[in-house]
Amino acid sequence: MSLYFTIAVIILVFVIIFQIAKASEYVEILKGEEKSRKQNNKVNGFLMIAFLILGLIAVYWCHEILKDRTLGESASVEGEKVDSMMYLTIVVTGIVFFITQILLFWFSYKYQEKENRKAFFLAHNNRLEVIWTVIPAIVLTVLVVIGLRNWFLFTGEAPKNALVVEITGKQFNWIYRYAGQDNIFGKKYFRNIDDANNSLGLLWEDNALINTKADPAAIDDIVPGGNDVYVIKNRPVKLIINSRDVIHDVGLNHFRMKMDAVPGIPTTLWFTPKFTTKEMKERENNPDFEYEISCDQMCGNGHYSMKGIVKVVTQAEFDAWMSTQKPSYYVAFPDKDPTAIPAATDSTAVPAPATAGVNGTTANKSTAKLN
Ligand SMILES: [Cu+2]
C-alpha cells in the first residue's frame, strides 16, 4: 500500500514540476524572453551567494555538533601516525575546499550576465595547466608516500619483543590463539575443525583418514575461548589474522587499526597499546568502557553481533591471567594433561597422543573410556 502511495507522490511531484515549467514558459512569452532571462540571472546570482553563506554556516554547525563524538586520542602509539595523516589530509583538502567553493559561487554571482560586458574567451594556457596539474600531483604524492610508509610499518616486521596473538574470524565470532610455552603456533588443518573442542582444527594427532601428521607445536597452543583477548600495555602486539569462512575484518578503531581477515591468506598487523582498559575507563569517564573489535566487513546475517573485546592489562596482570589458561589440547583431553593431578589409576598407562588412530577424535574418546 505504501509503495503505491510513494509512486503516486513521485508522479504527482513530476506533474507539478512540469506544470510550473510550462507556466513559466507562458510568463516568459508574455513578459518578453529577454527581460525575464535577465531577471532570472539576477535571482540566480543572489541565490548562489545565499547558498554559499548558508553552506559555510552548515559546515561550521556540523563541525560543532560532531566534534565531541569522534574518538578521542589514539590508544596506540602507531595509531598517532594515522591521526596525523588524517589531520594533514583534512587540512590540505579543507584549504582546497574553501578556496574552490568560495570562488565557484562568488564568480557565478560576480560574472553574471551584464549589458556591455563581453565574455573573455580563453582557449588554452599551458602555464595554468602545468600549475594545476603539478601542484596537486606533488601534494597527493606526499600524502600517498606518508600513507605507504605507515602501512609498511604496521604490516611489516613487528618488534622482537612483540606479543603474538592469532585471531581468526568465523561466522559469527572471533577465535584467539596464543602460541604457548614454545612460542610457536602449531599447524592446523581445516578438516580437523570441530566446534566442540578444536575450533581452529589444530593438528594435535596423526590422522590417517585425512592424511595429516601431528604437529608437536600445536600441543601447547592456548585458545582461550570467549570474546576477550588479552594484550599488554606498552608492549607491541602482533596480530596474525585469519578467517575460517568468508572475508571478515579486524576493526580496532581505538587503536586506529584495521585489517581484512581473508580465508587462506593470513594477514598481520602490529601496534603498541598506550593505556590499559582500566586507565581508559577513567580517561573516558566511562566505567563500561571496553576496547572493541568490530567486524568491519559485511560477512553475513550475524555480522552485527561479531564483537570482540581487547583487554589491555599490565604485564603482571597478563602473566596472572595466562597462568590460569590451559593449552586447548588438554582442555579437550584432560586425561592427556601431564600437570593434572593423577587419578587413582596409574596415569602413565594412558598412551601419548594417539599416533596411528584412524580418527583422532574417536581414538581419544576410546582412550578416555579405557582410562
Ligand atoms: Cu565478520
Side-chain angles (χ1 to χ4, degrees), residues 80-124:
E80 288 167 14
K81 293 177 192 289
V82 178
D83 280 351
S84 68
M85 282 199 292
M86 182 81 179
Y87 291 132
L88 183 63
T89 307
I90 287 176
V91 168
V92 170
T93 53
I95 291 170
V96 175
F97 170 81
F98 281 108
I99 293 176
T100 53
Q101 296 306 301
I102 289 171
L103 286 183
L104 176 66
F105 292 103
W106 174 245
F107 278 16
S108 310
Y109 171 78
K110 178 115 201 290
Y111 298 108
Q112 60 181 274
E113 183 191 18
K114 285 253 167 69
E115 269 172 60
N116 314 324
R117 187 162 67 196
K118 230 176 141 188
F120 173 63
F121 182 70
L122 177 73
H124 193 75

Side-chain angles (χ1 to χ4, degrees), residues 227-246:
N227 284 328
D228 301 352
V229 60
Y230 284 74
V231 301
I232 302 156
K233 179 190 167 177
N234 289 338
R235 177 161 164 202
V237 52
K238 177 182 175 178
L239 298 180
I240 299 174
I241 300 161
N242 286 280
S243 170
R244 239 179 62 173
D245 36 47
V246 298

